[in-house]
Amino acid sequence: MIGRYLCLAVVVFAASFCAVTAQTTTPKPELDCTERNSSCDECIKNVKCYYCYTDNSCRLYPAEKILPRDCALSKARWGISCAINFEALIIAMSVVGGVILISFFCCIYCCCCRTSSKKAQEKYDKEDAKIERAREERRLKHAERRAERDAKNQEIRMKYGLVKEDNPYHRFDEK
């Protein structure tokens, strides 16, 4: 069962890695973002462009460098909205990515612990049953030894005439 979950996790990770690497291709030189200088909203409609508020220009996003170097991150806009600067976007994406990774590893941990705790519980149940059987065997042996001891004591009493009568009281008319 753990193997299935582990295989599923590996497949999901490999698929997401392939999707990320497929999306990070180098932009083509014929894409010219400078003709989108009219506004920030017009510029960021194309995901290969970003808008810089320092000089109010639309520029080609430098995919090979990951972050734009020629514009301050607080002045750069890309992706979702012109209201969100690049710094906030990076922080938000990092937080979301971290939460996704933590929840992914928590799920794997829970799946592994849940199955291992079931196995451990089965092991403890078997051990408890074994201890209970041993306790019952000891109790039976003890009862058997007590019965043998009582039988020997009774024989010795009979041999020496010290037999206890079942009822020490008797009727007067019987003698």
Side-chain angles (χ1 to χ4, degrees):
M1 195 61 136
I2 293 174
R4 287 184 184 173
Y5 289 119
L6 191 57
C7 289
L8 179 64
V10 169
V11 168
V12 168
F13 179 73
S16 63
F17 181 74
C18 291
V20 168
T21 55
Q23 291 175 357
T24 57
T25 58
T26 309
K28 296 178 181 161
E30 62 263 11
L31 179 64
D32 192 16
C33 293
T34 55
E35 56 192 42
R36 297 178 177 263
N37 276 339
S38 60
S39 70
C40 177
D41 291 324
E42 184 66 30
C43 179
I44 65 169
K45 283 182 183 176
N46 186 349
V47 291
K48 295 185 179 182
C49 299
Y50 75 97
Y51 194 79
C52 183
Y53 273 115
T54 306
D55 57 355
N56 292 331
S57 64
C58 186
R59 300 177 183 173
L60 182 65
Y61 188 83
E64 65 275 352
K65 295 181 184 175
I66 298 176
L67 296 175
R69 304 275 187 232
D70 53 347
C71 185
L73 292 179
S74 61
K75 300 290 184 183
R77 304 295 191 263
W78 176 77
I80 301 170
S81 169
C82 287
I84 301 173
N85 67 20
F86 213 83
E87 287 176 333
L89 188 64
I90 290 172
I91 292 170
M93 289 174 66
S94 300
V95 169
V96 168
V99 168
I100 288 171
L101 280 175
I102 289 172
S103 60
F104 175 72
F105 287 121
C106 286
C107 289
I108 289 176
Y109 175 76
C110 289
C111 291
C112 293
C113 287
R114 192 174 303 145
T115 55
S116 67
S117 67
K118 286 181 183 177
K119 288 180 182 178
Q121 186 63 37
E122 289 174 3
K123 178 182 173 185
Y124 294 140
D125 289 345
K126 286 180 183 178
E127 194 172 314
D128 288 345
K130 182 179 175 182
I131 290 170
E132 189 61 36
R133 281 193 304 271
R135 184 180 295 143
E136 184 63 25
E137 287 174 7
R138 285 193 304 269
R139 189 188 63 77
L140 289 174
K141 284 181 183 180
H142 178 68
E144 193 176 298
R145 280 187 249 140
R146 177 180 282 155
E148 288 175 7
R149 233 183 4 256
D150 288 345
K152 282 183 183 180
N153 285 342
Q154 189 66 24
E155 283 178 22
I156 292 171
R157 283 187 193 116
M158 286 178 68
K159 181 178 175 182
Y160 294 106
L162 300 172
V163 178
K164 291 183 180 178
E165 293 182 13
D166 291 338
N167 189 358
Y169 303 104
H170 58 293
R171 292 186 182 182
F172 288 112
D173 57 345
E174 287 181 7
K175 286 193 177 181

